[in-house]
């Protein structure tokens, strides 16, 4: 096994508590994903922090830009987070001028959330930075390799929710050790 693969196995063990006897290619790939995820999240968070919003708030704005104005419930479902959490994020974003709330035209209990022109401008700047990072990071890698990587990552992404749900259905996680 190469030094890089060994490092990925070690990262998977440390990040996911994997069994040391399962040191194979699948574990190495997942280990590398676990190592990359925090670094990539930190980069995204850094870009959002420049605008005083952080990763979670930035994620809400990206979702709103993609969907257009939506009711809070739909935004909560789209992001996969609780309505209470979305409400807190929207409260903060509204206070900072990144989103607006308006009454729903047909359901007086619902509120429509929209991004502001300031959000549009900030997201455009962040997108430019993101695209520049992508080009810098992947410069010189064969386009066929990038296409294969994109395909494989798509397969992993498509399977992730189902695999996690199946594992969660198998039973609760191990009990926490007692102090």
């Amino acid at each position: 096994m190469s030094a890089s693969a060994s490092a990925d196995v070690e990262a998977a063990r440390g990040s996911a508590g994997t069994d040391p006897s399962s040191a194979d290619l699948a574990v190495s790939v997942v280990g590398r994903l676990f190592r990359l995820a925090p670094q990539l999240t930190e980069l995204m968070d850094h870009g959002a922090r420049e605008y005083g919003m952080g990763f979670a708030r930035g994620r809400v704005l990206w979702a709103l830009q993609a969907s257009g104005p939506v009711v809070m419930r739909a935004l909560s479902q789209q992001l996969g987070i609780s309505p209470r959490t979305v409400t807190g994020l929207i409260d903060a974003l509204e206070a900072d001028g990144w989103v607006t709330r308006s009454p729903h035209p047909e359901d007086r209990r619902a509120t429509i959330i929209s991004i502001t022109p300031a959000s549009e401008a900030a997201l455009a700047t962040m997108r430019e930075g993101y695209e520049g990072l992508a080009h810098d990071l992947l410069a010189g890698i064969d386009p066929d390799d990038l296409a294969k990587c994109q395909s494989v990552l798509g397969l992993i992404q498509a399977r992730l929710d189902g695999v996690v749900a199946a594992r969660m259905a198998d039973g609760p996680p191990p009990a926490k050790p007692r102090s």
Side-chain angles (χ1 to χ4, degrees):
M1 181 181 312
S2 72
S4 177
S6 294
D8 293 336
V9 170
E10 288 306 312
R13 286 183 190 143
S15 299
T18 57
D19 181 347
S21 66
S22 65
D24 59 21
L25 187 56
V27 173
S28 178
V29 169
V30 171
R32 183 155 299 187
L33 290 172
F34 276 123
R35 283 179 38 212
L36 287 173
Q39 289 178 284
L40 294 172
T41 300
E42 178 59 29
L43 280 171
M44 293 294 286
D45 191 43
H46 176 73
R49 277 194 316 262
E50 290 180 16
Y51 294 92
M53 66 180 80
F55 179 76
R57 292 181 191 183
R59 187 170 169 235
V60 169
L61 293 181
W62 287 113
L64 283 169
Q65 186 181 50
S67 69
V70 295
V71 295
M72 198 95 71
R73 179 179 60 255
L75 183 59
S76 171
Q77 291 170 344
Q78 180 181 355
L79 294 169
I81 56 179
S82 73
R84 173 182 263 173
T85 300
V86 169
T87 299
L89 289 167
I90 294 299
D91 288 346
L93 288 166
E94 183 180 37
D96 290 342
W98 298 114
V99 300
T100 59
R101 287 180 164 115
S102 57
H104 191 284
E106 298 166 7
D107 182 353
R108 61 187 175 109
R109 297 169 297 162
T111 302
I112 297 175
I113 309 302
S114 304
I115 60 175
T116 64
S119 292
E120 290 283 359
L123 291 172
T125 301
M126 283 191 277
R127 182 177 305 281
E128 287 174 14
Y130 173 79
E131 290 172 357
L133 171 67
H135 289 284
D136 291 347
L137 189 61
L138 303 175
I141 298 176
D142 185 271
D144 290 338
D145 289 342
L146 290 176
K148 183 66 174 176
C149 181
Q150 185 177 40
S151 174
V152 170
L153 289 172
L155 291 171
I156 292 169
Q157 183 179 14
R159 296 188 68 198
L160 186 61
D161 288 341
V163 169
V164 169
R167 292 179 68 81
M168 300 280 280
D170 287 344
K176 293 180 182 176
R178 294 180 185 215
S179 325

